[in-house]
Each structure stands twice: as C-alpha cells, then as structure tokens.
C-alpha cells in the first residue's frame, strides 16, 4: 500500500488487490461481530466489550438503561463505518494489480473509525492493554496485521492533518 495523499478535494492511496481483500474481510468480520453484539451481552466477548463498553462502569442500572437506549444506534453507526471502508475496495480486490483508492474527507474519517475498532479487537485478542504493550505474538500474522492497521490509521491522520 502506498499511503494517502491529498487528491481532488479528498485523499488517494494505492492498494494491491490482496491488501483490499484483507481489508474487506476485516470489515465484514467487524460488521458481523457488531451485529452479534445487538443480540446479547457484549461483556461475554471481551473484544466486543472494548468496542462497545458500558457508559457507566460503576452503575449497573444506568449502564443497562444506556444499552437499551443507545446501543443499537451506536452499533449501526459502527457498522456503517466498516461498510464505508469495504465498499470502495471491491473493485481493487477484483483487479490484477495495484489500483488507486479515492476517499472523501468524510469517508477517510469513517475509515479511521473502522480501523480504530479493528485495532481495539485485535489488541484484545493479542493481550495489548495500553500503547506500548507488545502483547502476544501468536499468531504472528495478527500482530503484523495490528501494526499494518496502525500504519494505515496514522497515515490517514497525517493526510487529514495536512501532512504535519
């Protein structure tokens, strides 16, 4: 992947088909995990709980009320962020070589949000609690994926911030 650069009022990166395929798979898995969170207690899956934490940690009744009133809307927004990320990638994944990916500023923000959720889930699976933790390196692909997503997210932040 070649990083995001300002382009025609938005941003453009160049991705290989296999990179697009990986991001599509991750985005679809995120959407499914979030859908699963609609039907039950997210505390049962620690990774999902990191993405959808209780609003009130010390007040079970208030936390339950928040979940009943807000959880569905939050999950739907997070699913939409992941869908924004995957939608533009299908043509690249079907291609036979590197191809440009163009996103608007709004889509870039959705990408950052979806990647942030993916990183939270991977961090939980790897045992990363705070920045700087190494976490587990098994499977090694998961740690590599975590670092690659961090790079993409950082690249988007830099592009949105004008390259500073």
């Amino acid at each position: 992947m070649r990083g995001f650069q300002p382009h025609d009022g938005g941003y453009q990166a160049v991705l290989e088909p296999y990179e697009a395929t990986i991001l599509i798979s991750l985005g679809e898995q995120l959407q499914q995990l979030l859908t699963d969170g609609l039907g039950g207690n997210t505390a049962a899956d620690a990774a999902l709980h990191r993405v959808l934490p209780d609003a009130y940690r010390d007040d079970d009744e208030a936390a339950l009320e928040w979940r009943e009133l807000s959880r569905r809307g939050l999950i739907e927004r997070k699913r939409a962020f992941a869908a924004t990320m995957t939608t533009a990638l299908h043509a690249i994944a079907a291609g036979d070589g590197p191809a440009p990916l163009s996103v608007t500023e709004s889509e870039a923000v959705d990408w950052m949000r979806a990647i942030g959720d993916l990183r939270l889930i991977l961090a939980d699976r790897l045992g990363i609690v705070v920045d700087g933790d190494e976490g587990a390196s098994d499977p090694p692909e998961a740690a590599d994926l975590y670092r690659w997503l961090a790079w993409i997210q950082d690249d988007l932040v830099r592009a949105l911030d004008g390259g500073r």
Side-chain angles (χ1 to χ4, degrees):
M1 178 174 180
R2 284 168 266 175
F4 285 90
Q5 300 293 321
H7 181 77
D8 288 339
Y11 304 92
Q12 188 175 71
V14 176
L15 282 85
E16 296 286 343
Y18 76 89
E19 293 170 320
T21 300
I22 292 168
L23 289 170
I24 290 168
S25 176
L26 290 171
E28 290 172 349
Q29 290 176 57
L30 175 58
Q31 290 177 67
Q32 184 59 55
L33 184 64
L34 290 166
T35 298
D36 294 347
L38 281 172
N41 182 359
T42 58
D45 182 335
L48 186 57
H49 189 68
R50 275 182 94 168
V51 175
L52 300 167
D54 286 332
Y56 302 94
R57 293 180 183 169
D58 298 327
D59 187 338
D60 292 341
E61 187 176 320
L64 177 61
E65 181 178 353
W66 179 86
R67 279 193 303 273
E68 290 172 355
L69 296 174
S70 303
R71 177 74 38 106
R72 178 169 296 280
L74 179 60
I75 288 173
E76 288 171 359
R77 285 190 304 278
K78 287 178 174 285
R79 284 180 43 84
F81 302 149
T84 296
M85 185 181 81
T86 60
T87 298
L89 295 168
H90 288 283
I92 297 170
D96 60 358
L101 166 74
S102 295
V103 295
T104 64
E105 184 171 331
S106 175
E107 291 167 336
V109 171
D110 286 356
W111 269 66
M112 287 190 303
R113 291 172 172 156
I115 290 171
D117 287 343
L118 288 167
R119 289 185 63 221
L120 282 171
I121 291 165
L122 279 169
D124 184 77
R125 304 285 195 244
L126 291 167
I128 298 170
V129 179
V130 296
D131 280 342
D133 282 358
E134 289 296 316
S137 59
D138 190 34
E141 297 84 9
D144 291 342
L145 192 56
Y146 180 81
R147 286 188 289 275
W148 182 55
L149 290 172
W151 178 84
I152 295 171
Q153 191 175 41
D154 182 65
D155 190 60
L156 277 166
V157 168
R158 289 176 191 270
L160 286 164
D161 197 31
R164 290 181 212 139

